[in-house]
Amino acid sequence: MDGFIESVNNLIGSPALTAMLVSLVPLIELKGAILFARASGLGFFAALGTSYLGSTFVAIPIFFLLVPVLNLLKKIKWFNRFACKVEEYFKKKAESVKKREGKLSETGIKMLGVFIFIAIPLPMTGVWTGTAIAVFLGLKFKEILLPVLGGNLIAGLIISVLAELFLPYVDIILYVLFALVVVMLVVFIVKVALTKPKAENAQGGDAQDDGENKEE
């Protein structure tokens, strides 16, 4: 792992820049970037700051480009089915956030749900997924700023403290994180593959209705 980290840093030229670029990668994001930065020799605040900046910035393109990209992929024969399933996956995640009860307004509940989702530093949680959920919740960009900024900061502080406490074992933690990322990626692909788009459900229902009408 030390040799791999050194090679990557030498290729990019700066441990800080490397951490920022690593934090842009889906699934790895802030969590992996902080661990990578600490393993590279960066201090507590340098690792947290560079990783936080990169992983927070990625919310901007996700928010504004996610739906247009999915709509574009739907028009391409080879990616249509995949795009529909990804969209349906995030819509279901958004629906689960909507069901949270409380004394907050509907928008407040949505923002709190996104904040909590991003703040929990686990694989498949973070700015990428949290922002995607916010898009399908119908939140405006100004409404996701506080959940993204605050949630990502909380997640970063948790990981930074853990990395500080277990600094001698940061290489092992990185191995475990990368293994979890691979597992969660497989789980995500399976979930998306098993998610049936509503369009297909509707078509299936129409076909069934037509069949019943013909029998009558």
Side-chain angles (χ1 to χ4, degrees):
M1 180 60 73
D2 290 339
F4 173 73
I5 291 174
E6 184 178 357
S7 298
V8 174
N9 285 327
N10 290 337
L11 178 64
I12 296 177
S14 166
L17 181 58
T18 302
M20 191 174 294
L21 293 176
V22 169
S23 70
L24 299 174
V25 179
L27 296 180
I28 297 177
E29 300 188 51
L30 175 77
K31 302 174 281 290
I34 289 176
L35 295 174
F36 194 95
R38 294 311 307 272
S40 299
L42 289 181
F44 182 95
F45 293 105
L48 173 60
T50 52
S51 302
Y52 178 78
L53 286 175
S55 59
T56 302
F57 170 79
V58 81
I60 299 175
I62 294 173
F63 184 86
F64 290 105
L65 296 178
L66 178 61
V67 172
V69 168
L70 287 177
N71 288 337
L72 177 62
L73 291 177
K74 288 178 186 178
K75 297 178 181 179
I76 302 174
K77 180 181 178 180
W78 299 105
F79 298 103
N80 175 272
R81 189 178 180 85
F82 175 77
C84 289
K85 289 185 175 183
V86 170
E87 182 180 70
E88 190 62 26
Y89 173 81
F90 285 117
K91 282 183 177 180
K92 287 184 176 180
K93 288 285 186 181
E95 286 298 324
S96 68
V97 171
K98 284 182 181 179
K99 293 177 181 178
R100 295 180 183 273
E101 297 181 355
K103 296 182 180 180
L104 298 173
S105 64
E106 183 178 352
T107 299
I109 293 173
K110 292 177 182 178
M111 292 172 64
L112 178 61
V114 172
F115 169 81
I116 293 173
F117 192 90
I118 294 175
I120 299 175
L122 295 172
M124 289 301 294
T125 65
V127 174
W128 274 81
T129 309
T131 305
I133 291 173
V135 170
F136 288 104
L137 282 171
L139 291 174
K140 299 177 182 177
F141 183 71
K142 64 181 181 181
E143 293 170 341
I144 75 162
L145 289 178
L146 187 59
V148 169
L149 293 173
N152 206 33
L153 180 60
I154 296 298
L157 288 171
I158 292 173
I159 294 298
S160 295
V161 170
L162 291 175
E164 186 71 21
L165 292 175
F166 300 100
L167 192 59
Y169 310 101
V170 71
D171 287 355
I172 298 175
I173 297 174
L174 266 176
Y175 278 122
V176 173
L177 177 64
F178 288 153
L180 283 174
V181 165
V182 172
V183 171
M184 295 306 295
L185 179 60
V186 172
V187 171
F188 174 75
I189 293 173
V190 171
K191 281 186 176 181
V192 169
L194 295 178
T195 300
K196 191 174 183 180
K198 289 183 177 179
E200 291 185 7
N201 291 333
Q203 290 175 0
D206 293 341
Q208 185 177 0
D209 292 341
D210 291 342
E212 291 176 354
N213 292 333
K214 288 181 179 178
E215 289 179 2
E216 294 176 358

